[in-house]
Amino acid sequence: MTRSEHDTETLIRDSLDRLAARAPDGDAVRDALARAGRQRRPATKLALVAAAVVVLVAGVFVGTRAITTPDLDPAASRPVLGYSPGWLPDGFTEQYREGGPGTAPQVRRWFAGPAEVTLSVYSTADPEWSQTELRIASIRDQVLVRGRVAMVTGDTGTAALITWLADDDHVLTARVTGVPEARLVALWIAQGVTAAPVGVRGELRFGALPAGLTERSAAVKGTGPGDASTELTAADPARPSVPAVRVTASAGSPGVTGAAPVTVRGGQGFFVAGREATVAVRLPSGRWLTVSGARPEAELVAVADGVRLDPSPDYRWLGRATS
């Protein structure tokens, strides 16, 4: 059912009223942040947290715009992620980045032992996220993020998810798990997010893909440069959320015991049959290239043969708090 302009305005007005009714005292916010074990922040930044839960200006929406620089231009298998956090809890290091062309989600993850922080960006051009503003307006558990109404879901005390619109084109989420006072930690993180882009440059780039498949995503992950890996996926445009082919470069052996020999990239490779078949070959660097998917052997070999290797991947940010 399509909502009228009047219904939309009513939802937003009601959401602002709920925010005003639920706003806690600023001293209570500071006490809760201290219990979460964070270092004392400058007064100007503490004001941002208070602003997130106290309505200062009703109905004012402040957005941010993604920016790019000449050395951060999106390219095939080299996506640019448009947003970065300004603050993270102590001890968290970035270990995952993923993005892709078009409306593909952008994902960044930080870990501290079992605890995790995830910052995700979605396009409002994606039908799944096109009605997010109305969903936020209709939910009861709301806060303010950079002057815009946001919703809180999954609040368990040690986990929370905050969702907001950075502008008319981008929906952002900040998810925190395994952290005391997770709601306030997620809110603090959300308040500090800005349109500061970072790149994803792994050691692989797609070459020619089988007919009917297009590039879906590129990801880099690892606890540090020493165990870094790159993963590319391709999909059928009719089912963009389902990877049809997955290509990985990593130091770990994919397990080829009992595999059939096959020629890959002009050398000895291996083929493992199954519902998700796999082609693997050891690269001159000693690392392993694997291609898997529910596709014929010849297609997987062709993908492996066409993959281009990047001699200078950017793994420097792995294992660091921010880049």
Side-chain angles (χ1 to χ4, degrees):
M1 181 180 69
T2 302
R3 298 183 187 273
S4 69
E5 183 176 349
H6 173 73
D7 291 338
T8 301
E9 291 177 353
T10 299
L11 278 172
I12 293 174
R13 187 183 305 110
D14 290 345
S15 70
L16 290 169
D17 289 341
R18 287 195 294 271
L19 271 173
R22 296 180 66 251
D25 178 76
D27 290 336
V29 173
R30 292 180 177 86
D31 291 343
L33 293 179
R35 290 195 302 273
R38 293 205 294 271
Q39 297 176 350
R40 184 173 180 84
R41 312 305 297 178
T44 53
K45 290 192 175 182
L46 284 173
L48 290 177
V49 177
V53 291
V54 179
V55 176
L56 298 178
V57 181
V60 176
F61 295 89
V62 179
T64 57
R65 299 181 63 183
I67 59 175
T68 59
T69 58
D71 59 330
L72 286 174
D73 290 331
S77 306
R78 293 182 185 171
V80 172
L81 314 184
Y83 292 84
S84 298
W87 176 86
L88 292 168
D90 290 340
F92 280 79
T93 62
E94 190 168 11
Q95 300 179 24
Y96 186 90
R97 289 180 183 175
E98 179 183 2
T103 61
Q106 302 175 14
V107 182
R108 299 177 65 180
R109 293 193 176 105
W110 293 259
F111 294 87
E116 178 180 343
V117 170
T118 302
L119 175 64
S120 302
V121 183
Y122 305 94
S123 171
T124 56
D126 182 340
E128 183 177 351
W129 296 91
S130 61
Q131 299 298 312
T132 301
E133 188 170 17
L134 289 179
R135 289 175 54 212
I136 292 173
S138 62
I139 201 168
R140 298 193 63 82
D141 197 351
Q142 297 170 334
V143 292
L144 281 182
V145 172
R146 301 179 72 85
R148 302 188 70 134
V149 180
M151 66 180 179
V152 181
T153 53
D155 182 5
T156 66
T158 59
L161 174 68
I162 294 182
T163 303
W164 75 102
L165 273 77
D167 53 35
D168 292 340
D169 301 318
H170 301 96
V171 177
L172 273 62
T173 66
R175 183 187 298 274
V176 173
T177 60
V179 176
E181 302 283 1
R183 177 192 181 101
L184 288 174
V185 173
L187 179 56
W188 187 285
I189 292 170
Q191 284 287 2
V193 171
T194 59
V198 297
V200 181
R201 179 171 178 168
E203 59 192 284
L204 303 177
R205 300 184 72 181
F206 270 129
L209 285 168
L213 296 185
T214 60
E215 182 176 349
R216 174 182 174 272
S217 68
V220 166
K221 61 182 177 180
T223 60
D227 68 351
S229 65
T230 297
E231 181 180 272
L232 308 179
T233 65
D236 181 341
R239 302 178 65 198
S241 63
V242 181
V245 171
R246 195 180 304 272
V247 182
T248 304
S250 67
S253 169
V256 293
T257 303
V262 62
T263 300
V264 183
R265 300 181 72 85
Q268 175 69 62
F270 304 90
F271 173 72
V272 181
R275 184 175 181 182
E276 288 281 327
T278 299
V279 165
V281 64
R282 196 152 198 173
L283 299 170
S285 64
R287 290 168 66 80
W288 283 89
L289 173 69
T290 62
V291 181
S292 59
R295 315 290 293 191
E297 175 185 347
E299 280 195 9
L300 299 181
V301 171
V303 171
D305 287 342
V307 165
R308 290 171 284 174
L309 304 179
D310 190 328
S312 55
D314 182 11
Y315 291 152
R316 297 169 298 173
W317 53 269
L318 287 165
R320 299 168 56 181
T322 56
S323 59

